[in-house]
Amino acid sequence: MSHILVSGANGFVGRALCRALIDAGHRVTGLVRRAGGCVDGTTEWIDSSPDYAGVGGAWSADLNVDCVVHLAARVHVMNDQAADPDAAFRATNVDGTLRLAAAAQQHGVRRFVFVSSIKAVAERDNGWPLREDDPARPEDGYGRSKRAAEDNLLRFGEETGLDVVIVRPPLVYGPHVRANFLRLMDAVWRGVPLPLGAVQARRSMIYVGNLADALMRCATDPYAARQCFHVADASAPTVAELSRALAHHLGRPSRMLPVPAGWLRAVGRLTGRSGQVDRLIGSLLVDTTHIREVLGWRAPFSTDEGLSATAAWYRSTH
């Protein structure tokens, strides 16, 4: 079995990944900024230095790790107050990532799995599911920083021999989810009428349990070496289908208004939220052929199973 170092081990995805690794018999060290929050069986390593500035010097001589899975990142921030958001994203997601990769390589780590984002490629597809080799069209500071981190990591791997594996998930959901997915669940729970009944565009997502399983494979499978993988659930619902499924699992009525997509886009233009509306009602399908062919990976949980588990957690908190 392997010894895996997981950055952001006490986060939403990190906890699910550590649990999967421990259940599979792997040894796990969690690199976190503050104590607490890791699942039982995880050895915590606390490094509070900004953007991993001190991680190389703090790496213990007896910490022998086979693979680093780098989850920690500066994510999309609503109403970002940073004077230069792009610079803030780059400091953490590019510079910090490279510092951790350099420390890992210097201490004998063979593989570095970088959890990027489909936003490093695009916010929407162009009529076909996004593939790993599609041209990059990131639209915000987060997406641009993730793409820059990928490019820099690949160059670093070529120069040093570090085995860099890149994984690009779309929206991740599951118990303890936050941000837009949680807001959607709140609206469904409260019975808020949603103007999404006529939206036919499909959006790839991934259940956190499926992502954890894919990351574990990428950390341990020899065939994952120096690969880039898109990962997603086997099915991609429309926003309307997603809302109805959530309503079903939450035991709430589905209140969907069939507002034409053109009207929604017009409202977006009038309110200065065209980008948000386009991302909500635009198609974003992810092609997972590569990971299925190279690793034989299949999502172990269906989307309905993932939504059921997410709704069960939500109900337990209300």
Side-chain angles (χ1 to χ4, degrees):
M1 292 296 159
S2 299
H3 185 180
I4 313 294
L5 175 70
V6 179
S7 73
N10 53 6
F12 168 46
V13 178
R15 286 175 56 84
L17 173 59
C18 291
R19 187 178 297 109
L21 288 167
I22 292 167
D23 287 349
H26 299 289
R27 182 182 172 193
V28 179
T29 294
L31 177 57
V32 295
R33 293 187 58 81
R34 58 187 62 86
C38 291
V39 300
D40 290 344
T42 303
T43 300
E44 287 187 349
W45 171 16
I46 302 168
D47 176 61
S48 57
S49 63
D51 301 323
Y52 297 114
V55 73
W59 195 296
S60 172
D62 60 357
L63 179 59
N64 299 311
V65 172
D66 299 297
C67 175
V68 170
V69 179
H70 184 36
L71 281 163
R74 186 177 196 267
V75 298
H76 179 66
V77 180
M78 296 296 290
N79 301 315
D80 200 337
Q81 299 301 309
D84 186 345
D86 272 49
F89 279 118
R90 185 175 183 87
T92 298
N93 297 347
V94 182
D95 300 340
T97 295
L98 290 173
R99 289 191 191 104
L100 181 57
Q105 189 273 331
Q106 290 166 7
H107 289 85
V109 177
R110 297 190 298 272
R111 178 172 291 181
F112 190 94
V113 177
F114 178 59
V115 185
S116 183
S117 167
I118 201 63
K119 286 175 172 283
V121 182
E123 298 277 1
R124 293 171 291 278
D125 62 50
N126 273 338
W128 61 86
L130 294 172
R131 295 172 53 87
E132 288 82 357
D133 57 356
D134 280 340
R137 297 179 282 112
E139 296 184 12
D140 62 11
Y142 173 70
R144 288 188 289 271
S145 69
K146 284 292 191 178
R147 187 62 182 216
E150 291 182 12
D151 294 341
N152 281 275
L153 275 175
L154 291 174
R155 283 193 293 270
F156 181 76
E158 290 172 357
E159 293 167 358
T160 65
L162 181 66
D163 173 10
V164 174
V165 181
I166 294 169
V167 182
R168 295 181 185 140
L171 182 149
V172 185
Y173 68 97
H176 305 285
V177 69
R178 293 290 181 263
N180 289 336
F181 200 95
L182 180 59
R183 283 190 280 272
L184 175 61
M185 295 181 74
D186 287 337
V188 172
W189 180 260
R190 298 196 309 268
V192 176
L194 299 173
L196 305 172
V199 177
Q200 297 301 311
R202 297 190 172 276
R203 308 281 298 186
S204 289
M205 310 183 302
I206 188 164
Y207 174 52
V208 68
N210 290 334
L211 178 56
D213 186 76
L215 292 176
M216 181 166 61
R217 288 290 299 276
C218 289
T220 60
D221 193 320
Y223 290 103
R226 295 176 171 80
Q227 297 288 332
C228 176
F229 297 116
H230 286 179
V231 293
D233 287 353
S235 61
T238 66
V239 179
E241 290 170 345
L242 171 61
S243 301
R244 292 188 187 104
L246 284 173
H248 168 72
H249 288 299
L250 289 170
R252 289 293 196 262
S254 176
R255 303 184 188 280
M256 305 296 295
L257 303 178
V259 178
W263 291 14
L264 295 175
R265 289 192 175 93
V267 171
R269 288 192 295 271
L270 290 171
T271 58
R273 296 182 177 181
S274 291
Q276 292 171 269
V277 172
D278 287 345
R279 284 190 288 272
L280 178 65
I281 67 176
S283 173
L284 179 61
L285 294 178
V286 173
D287 189 333
T288 61
T289 301
H290 189 52
I291 192 170
R292 288 186 282 114
E293 290 183 345
V294 173
L295 302 185
W297 182 79
R298 300 292 187 277
F301 302 97
S302 69
T303 299
D304 194 64
E305 289 172 323
L307 293 176
S308 176
T310 308
W313 159 76
Y314 185 93
R315 290 197 310 271
S316 74
T317 64
H318 287 74

